Amino acid sequence: FEVLECSWTQLSSDMASARDLNQLISSHERYVDSILERALLTEESEGERRQLDKVFHAILETCAVQEQLCEYAELQLERHRVLVRKEEEAAARQQWGLDDDDDDLERPQLSIPLDLVARLKVKGSEFKGCFETMRELLGSTPRADLRSLNFRLDFSHFYTDFACDAA
C-alpha cells in the first residue's frame, strides 16, 4: 500500500506539471520503476526478495505444524468431553464406571506428542534464522526505505533484545 500510494502521489504531481507527452511518458516510466524497486521486483532487490520469501515460507510451515498441534489438541479435548459426559450420564443413572462398549473411551492422556513439539521447535528456529538473516540484509542495504523497514520490524527492540538474551 505504501509503495503504491507514495508512487501515485509523485506521479500525480508529475502529471500536473508535465508540459508535453514526453514528460508524461517519462513520469509514468519513473512511476513504474519506483513501484518495481520498492516492491522488491528488480534484479537489485533479488536477495531481499528471496530472503523475504524464505521468511514467509518458514511462517507457513510453522503455521502448518501449529495447525496439526491444534487439531490434535481439539481431538483430545473432544474425547475427554465425551468421556466426562458418559461418566455423568452413568452417575445420573447411579451406575459407576464405563460400560464394556466404552473401552475405546479410556481416560485420555492430555499430552502433546513429542514429535509435534519437536517439529514446532525446529520450524520456530528456522523462522528465527530466516528472519534474522532478513534483518541483517535490510540493515546493511544502501536503500533508506529498506533500512527503515528494518527499523519498523524491530521498533520495540523485541528481536534485538531477544538476540542479546540468546547470546
Side-chain angles (χ1 to χ4, degrees):
F1 177 74
E2 287 181 28
V3 170
L4 294 176
E5 184 164 343
C6 293
S7 298
W8 179 256
T9 302
Q10 183 62 45
L11 177 64
S12 296
S13 173
D14 290 349
M15 285 187 325
S17 64
R19 287 174 286 182
D20 59 27
L21 183 59
N22 286 337
Q23 286 182 340
L24 187 60
I25 291 171
S26 177
S27 296
H28 185 262
E29 287 173 351
R30 282 193 307 275
Y31 169 70
V32 171
D33 289 344
S34 173
I35 290 173
L36 292 174
E37 180 182 350
R38 295 172 105 193
L40 304 177
L41 297 173
T42 62
E43 287 182 26
E44 294 82 19
S45 303
E46 189 171 338
E48 290 90 349
R49 183 179 63 247
R50 283 187 181 185
Q51 192 58 40
L52 190 58
D53 285 345
K54 288 179 184 178
V55 169
F56 286 139
H57 186 72
I59 289 169
L60 292 173
E61 287 182 341
T62 303
C63 286
V65 174
Q66 188 174 13
E67 187 176 324
Q68 290 174 351
L69 183 62
C70 288
E71 287 171 359
Y72 179 83
E74 288 172 358
L75 177 67
Q76 291 300 311
L77 285 172
E78 184 55 31
R79 288 186 58 169
H80 179 74
R81 285 185 196 113
V82 167
L83 178 65
V84 167
R85 185 173 28 88
K86 287 197 175 252
E87 287 175 343
E88 288 172 351
E89 289 170 357
R93 294 187 313 264
Q94 295 185 351
Q95 293 176 339
W96 311 109
L98 296 174
D99 297 334
D100 290 337
D101 61 336
D102 292 329
D103 288 341
D104 61 329
L105 290 176
E106 296 177 17
R107 185 159 297 275
Q109 295 291 329
L110 297 177
S111 62
I112 301 169
L114 295 178
D115 66 315
L116 279 177
V117 173
R119 286 177 38 216
L120 193 56
K121 285 181 182 181
V122 166
K123 295 302 174 188
S125 292
E126 288 174 5
F127 166 76
K128 188 170 142 187
C130 290
F131 188 76
E132 279 304 311
T133 300
M134 184 182 72
R135 286 198 54 239
E136 290 169 9
L137 196 59
L138 293 175
S140 65
T141 185
R143 290 181 47 190
D145 59 332
L146 294 181
R147 287 193 315 275
S148 174
L149 173 60
N150 189 39
F151 174 76
R152 286 183 285 168
L153 285 171
D154 197 24
F155 181 76
S156 66
H157 301 285
F158 174 81
Y159 296 104
T160 303
D161 294 345
F162 189 75
C164 290
D165 290 344

